[in-house]
Amino acid sequence: MEIFVAAVLILASFAGTGLIAYAIRHGQKRREALKAMSAERGWTFDYQPQSGGRGSRTVISDPSEGWELVLYYRSNSSTGGTSSHWTEFTQPRLALPDGMALLGPDIPEKTAAMADMMLDKMGGGGFGQMVLNKVTGGLAAEAADLRSVPGDGSGTLFATPGRETALDAVREAPELLEARSGRNEAQQPIVALSRHGMRLRLRHILRRPEEIDGFVDLGRAVTRWLDG
């Protein structure tokens, strides 16, 4: 019996090693496909593996148009195998001099009101400022002034005073409406306009070249709408 158990453990160990090797090979093939796609379109490609507590970053950019796409993944093995991952398209050229606006999925008015209360509480405390800084990339001071903007239109809009109309041009953009259609809240893109420029963000990581190509097209379309 002991020999049988040992044999099972050894086989399981080999199987686990095989799965890890497969995942590594699959990841390498996916990166090679993205690199080839980027070269075809005249984009730059850079991959930075996870290291020192920092997640892996795949960065694709277009030097001529100025946009950047980041695919981020971090595995947190110390916290039970959880992971954090996202996809973000950024166009710095559309940066606001101050303030910010945020357009996300449709949510109930009560939920938006609760978000207002949370933002109000977070804005005044050190811990809240730290959280907002992490979420917004150092824009906690402005994010603390975000409040839901009532009115008709697709999606839920949050803005700081004076920036309530900053995203009007994309609220009914057909490309953005199509990107939301048939997807739950967690899968829908979020548009932000701030001192960082325009950011189009997904709360998950895209992996297939055709998905990433489509997301770049969406980011460029949003840019064109905001350019007017």
Side-chain angles (χ1 to χ4, degrees):
M1 179 63 73
E2 290 180 0
I3 294 175
F4 174 75
V5 172
V8 170
L9 291 175
I10 290 171
L11 287 172
S13 175
F14 275 111
T17 303
L19 288 172
I20 292 171
Y22 171 79
I24 291 173
R25 286 197 303 272
H26 188 64
Q28 289 173 340
K29 287 182 178 180
R30 188 169 57 242
R31 286 194 294 275
E32 287 302 317
L34 284 178
K35 188 175 182 179
M37 181 186 76
S38 299
E40 288 176 2
R41 288 157 174 72
W43 302 341
T44 63
F45 177 92
D46 181 55
Y47 172 69
Q48 303 161 15
Q50 181 167 319
S51 176
R54 294 181 298 180
S56 67
R57 291 170 61 91
T58 300
V59 183
I60 298 171
S61 60
D62 187 328
S64 63
E65 294 187 6
W67 56 260
E68 179 180 270
L69 177 76
V70 176
L71 307 168
Y72 177 88
Y73 180 85
R74 180 172 181 244
S75 175
N76 303 310
S77 56
S78 61
T79 57
T82 61
S83 62
S84 56
H85 41 85
W86 43 263
T87 303
E88 187 173 81
F89 176 100
T90 305
Q91 177 49 271
R93 178 170 54 78
L94 297 173
L96 295 174
D98 56 69
M100 65 189 305
L102 189 72
L103 181 62
D106 282 306
I107 60 175
E109 290 185 9
K110 288 184 178 180
T111 305
M114 289 178 62
D116 285 342
M117 290 175 58
M118 290 180 63
L119 285 165
D120 191 45
K121 290 179 180 179
M122 292 175 72
F127 177 75
Q129 288 281 305
M130 181 182 69
V131 172
L132 285 174
N133 260 325
K134 186 175 182 180
V135 171
T136 62
L139 296 177
E142 284 129 316
D145 291 329
L146 280 172
R147 293 295 181 272
S148 59
V149 180
D152 298 327
S154 300
T156 303
L157 179 64
F158 288 84
T160 58
R163 296 299 177 187
E164 292 85 357
T165 62
L167 290 173
D168 280 359
V170 297
R171 195 156 191 182
E172 303 298 332
E175 297 89 349
L176 190 56
L177 295 178
E178 183 180 352
R180 290 185 183 138
S181 179
R183 294 176 172 85
N184 62 39
E185 290 181 8
Q187 296 174 318
Q188 294 183 36
I190 297 170
V191 184
L193 203 57
S194 69
R195 287 190 284 113
H196 286 314
M198 187 279 288
R199 289 180 168 185
L200 184 69
R201 188 181 181 96
L202 290 173
R203 287 171 283 181
H204 59 277
I205 189 169
L206 297 177
R207 298 187 182 278
R208 296 197 301 270
E210 61 271 22
E211 291 179 327
I212 292 165
D213 198 23
F215 191 66
V216 168
D217 283 344
L218 177 61
R220 295 171 72 190
V222 170
T223 299
R224 288 193 297 271
W225 281 102
L226 290 173
D227 269 337

